[in-house]
């Protein structure tokens, strides 16, 4: 999809999409023939998430941090966004009740103490933003960066390539086979050295390997069909290790 088409269906300006591209928030592939931006389905889904978070008053820098976090899972994000909206709906209902009570007080229909003028509503902070930051934000990302620094970038890259090469060597086996599951276990262990992945998160990551064309393309450089094989093997690994 071209940039003008996406702008029209999403209800945003072309200038906004250019800005998202410039700051690395939404970066589509560039057509090598005509130089135009080509938005894939994964880009469009990412834009939807960006706009959902914008409606919840998240800053662009925060949204980028969330979407790029190794802990990010789209389905989980949608569920949290729904929870945030329901909580916000409840909060707004509390404010409406307080406003109605204040109107009655101003009309002389009742008396309100100063304390009652602020009861039932917390004006001090945004707990929903904090909930999201706790899930995907700075602390989680910083932990991964610290662990990666301990491992060493070159060493981590060497092990990363080694694990992917070994997985490519067994990709023609059944994903539930002992050899395949042993190799996928090595991948799970490595991820948990630099991050904190539950079996559920591990499975979600595997799903991204086939849902996001960029993941698929990069992984399949190690061997045709590797992304699909890893997704299946990681799903089986989850079923064998879920609590």
């Amino acid at each position: 999809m071209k940039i003008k088409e996406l702008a029209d269906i999403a209800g945003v300006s072309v200038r906004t999409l250019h800005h998202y591209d410039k700051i690395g928030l939404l970066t589509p592939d560039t057509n090598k023939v005509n130089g135009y931006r080509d938005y894939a389905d994964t880009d469009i889904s990412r834009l939807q998430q960006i706009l959902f978070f914008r409606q919840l008053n998240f800053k662009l820098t925060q949204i980028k941090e969330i979407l790029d976090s190794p802990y990010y899972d789209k389905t989980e994000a949608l569920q949290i966004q729904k929870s945030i909206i329901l909580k916000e709906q409840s909060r707004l209902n509390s404010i409406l009740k307080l406003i109605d009570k204040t109107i009655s007080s101003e009309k002389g229909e009742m008396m309100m103490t100063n304390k009652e003028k602020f009861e039932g509503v917390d004006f001090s902070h945004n707990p929903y933003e904090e909930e999201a930051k706790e899930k995907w934000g700075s602390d989680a990302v910083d932990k991964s960066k610290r662990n990666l620094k301990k491992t060493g970038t070159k060493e981590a890259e060497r092990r990363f390539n080694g694990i992917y090469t070994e997985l490519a060597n067994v990709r023609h086996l059944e994903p539930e086979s002992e050899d395949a599951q042993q190799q996928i276990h090595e991948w799970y262990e490595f991820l948990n050295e630099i991050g904190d992945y539950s079996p559920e998160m591990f499975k979600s990551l595997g799903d991204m390997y086939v849902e996001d064309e960029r993941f698929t393309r990069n992984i399949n450089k190690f061997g045709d069909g590797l992304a699909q094989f890893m997704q299946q093997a990681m799903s089986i690994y989850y079923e064998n290790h879920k609590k």
Side-chain angles (χ1 to χ4, degrees), residues 85-236:
I85 291 170
L86 289 173
K87 289 176 182 177
E88 181 65 5
Q89 184 180 49
S90 176
R91 189 180 76 87
L92 291 174
N93 285 335
S94 295
I95 292 175
L96 284 173
K97 289 180 182 178
L98 184 58
I99 288 173
D100 286 338
K101 192 174 179 180
T102 304
I103 290 173
S104 296
S105 176
E106 291 297 315
K107 289 181 177 180
E109 298 172 355
M110 59 170 291
M111 293 289 294
M112 287 182 74
T113 66
N114 288 333
K115 182 179 180 182
E116 287 175 328
K117 293 177 182 179
F118 303 97
E119 279 185 345
V121 181
D122 185 356
F123 296 100
S124 64
H125 66 294
N126 182 350
Y128 319 123
E129 179 181 318
E130 292 172 7
E131 178 181 352
K133 285 188 69 176
E134 180 180 349
K135 185 67 186 175
W136 301 299
S138 300
D139 291 344
V141 174
D142 287 347
K143 180 180 179 181
S144 292
K145 288 180 178 177
R146 287 195 302 269
N147 290 340
L148 184 60
K149 188 174 182 180
K150 288 180 182 178
T151 304
T153 305
K154 290 185 178 179
E155 172 63 13
E157 184 177 352
R158 184 191 67 79
R159 291 181 59 192
F160 173 92
N161 289 334
I163 293 170
Y164 266 62
T165 299
E166 291 298 323
L167 282 164
N169 290 337
V170 299
R171 73 185 188 281
H172 300 299
L173 301 176
E174 293 297 325
E176 66 269 19
S177 69
E178 183 177 347
D179 286 345
Q181 284 300 298
Q182 178 57 41
Q183 292 302 323
I184 214 67
H185 174 71
E186 293 291 329
W187 179 231
Y188 179 75
E189 290 290 301
F190 174 73
L191 288 176
N192 276 288
E193 287 181 22
I194 62 173
D196 186 12
Y197 283 79
S198 66
E200 291 82 2
M201 292 171 65
F202 189 58
K203 178 184 181 299
S204 295
L205 181 64
D207 291 339
M208 288 178 62
Y209 291 170
V210 296
E211 293 171 357
D212 190 318
E213 295 173 2
R214 289 167 292 191
F215 269 108
T216 305
R217 187 165 56 246
N218 288 329
I219 293 171
N220 283 348
K221 289 178 182 178
F222 288 86
D224 291 340
L226 179 58
Q228 292 78 4
F229 169 79
M230 288 184 67
Q231 185 272 332
Q232 294 171 10
M234 291 163 78
S235 179
I236 292 168

Side-chain angles (χ1 to χ4, degrees), residues 21-79:
D21 189 359
K22 182 179 180 180
I23 65 175
L25 180 59
L26 183 66
T27 308
D29 289 332
T30 301
N31 190 306
K32 294 180 180 179
V33 177
N34 53 34
Y36 292 161
R37 293 171 174 82
D38 287 331
Y39 289 87
D41 288 344
T42 51
D43 297 317
I44 296 169
S45 294
R46 184 176 171 102
L47 176 60
Q48 185 197 50
Q49 279 291 292
I50 293 168
L51 297 181
F52 279 160
F53 278 118
R54 287 294 288 158
Q55 286 297 309
L56 296 172
N57 297 318
F58 283 80
K59 298 176 182 178
L60 293 180
T61 53
Q62 294 171 324
I63 297 172
K64 186 177 187 303
E65 184 178 44
I66 290 171
L67 296 182
D68 291 343
S69 168
Y71 300 91
Y72 172 76
D73 175 80
K74 182 180 177 182
T75 301
E76 187 177 38
L78 288 166
Q79 291 170 342

